[in-house]
Amino acid sequence: MDKVPDSASAPGSTSDRVLDGLARLCLIVAGVLLVFLIFSFGWLVFGRYVLNDTPTWIEQSSLLIVVYITCLGAAAGVRFNSHLSIDFLREGAPRVPRAIMHAIADGFVILFGAFMAWQGGLMVMNNAGRPIPMIGLSESWRAAPLVVCGVLLVIFTGANLIKRWFSNPRAGS
């Protein structure tokens, strides 16, 4: 069964509902792309072995789609706190060290997301004139999900940090 997001278990603020909706939209888009990926590979196998005419565009489009699925899923995972983690040390720690460990982890994710968005943005700008072989789209389409994912990581982690910090000001966790 799917894990229910922490923010969906209790009535939240408008910002929580908006961010949860944005994360769900990421999952919906990733799911639709995954279905398209499955059908395109079915077409690849059919074309190669039945028609003896391999569709050449599928490999490049699949590589592009996998990047979108991965980045959108990663961003949603940060929002819903559903990434695989080993947190028994942190959760077993007293209140103050636990809050510090949460803040350090969130800080690293925010820095990583900002760096990913910045570097992805540079890649988008630098590759705008180069086409992807076989499909003709700009190479910038390969880097665009890095920008989107990086921005979403910063937004989702920042919102989770603020929510955790202000949900129990005494505990800070």
Side-chain angles (χ1 to χ4, degrees):
M1 198 84 194
D2 289 341
K3 180 180 175 183
V4 176
D6 295 334
S7 57
S9 60
S13 66
T14 302
S15 62
D16 276 342
R17 289 191 300 272
V18 168
L19 293 176
D20 286 346
L22 184 57
R24 283 189 180 90
L25 179 64
C26 289
L27 291 176
I28 289 168
V29 171
V32 168
L33 288 173
L34 185 60
V35 169
F36 177 77
L37 188 67
I38 291 167
F39 280 120
S40 67
F41 271 106
W43 179 251
L44 175 73
V45 170
F46 180 77
R48 179 176 292 162
Y49 295 109
V50 176
L51 301 177
N52 200 24
D53 184 23
T54 305
T56 57
W57 56 270
I58 292 177
E59 181 184 353
Q60 291 298 321
S61 66
S62 298
L63 292 171
L64 183 65
I65 290 170
V66 166
V67 174
Y68 278 88
I69 292 170
T70 303
C71 287
L72 294 174
V78 167
R79 176 62 187 163
F80 294 140
N81 203 17
S82 62
H83 285 291
L84 178 65
S85 65
I86 301 172
D87 55 3
F88 67 91
L89 275 176
R90 183 186 65 214
E91 297 307 317
R95 177 178 52 88
V96 173
R98 183 176 56 241
I100 291 169
M101 285 187 258
H102 269 294
I104 289 170
D106 289 339
F108 277 124
V109 173
I110 288 172
L111 286 173
F112 178 76
F115 185 75
M116 184 190 312
W118 174 51
Q119 289 297 311
L122 292 176
M123 288 174 64
V124 166
M125 290 186 295
N126 291 335
N127 293 321
R130 293 182 35 212
I132 298 173
M134 306 296 176
I135 56 177
L137 289 174
S138 168
E139 281 283 350
S140 293
W141 282 93
R142 289 192 208 256
L146 298 175
V147 177
V148 172
C149 181
V151 169
L152 290 175
L153 286 178
V154 170
I155 292 169
F156 290 159
T157 304
N160 289 345
L161 178 84
I162 290 167
K163 183 177 181 181
R164 186 172 40 256
W165 191 260
F166 288 108
S167 66
N168 189 356
R170 250 180 353 109
S173 60

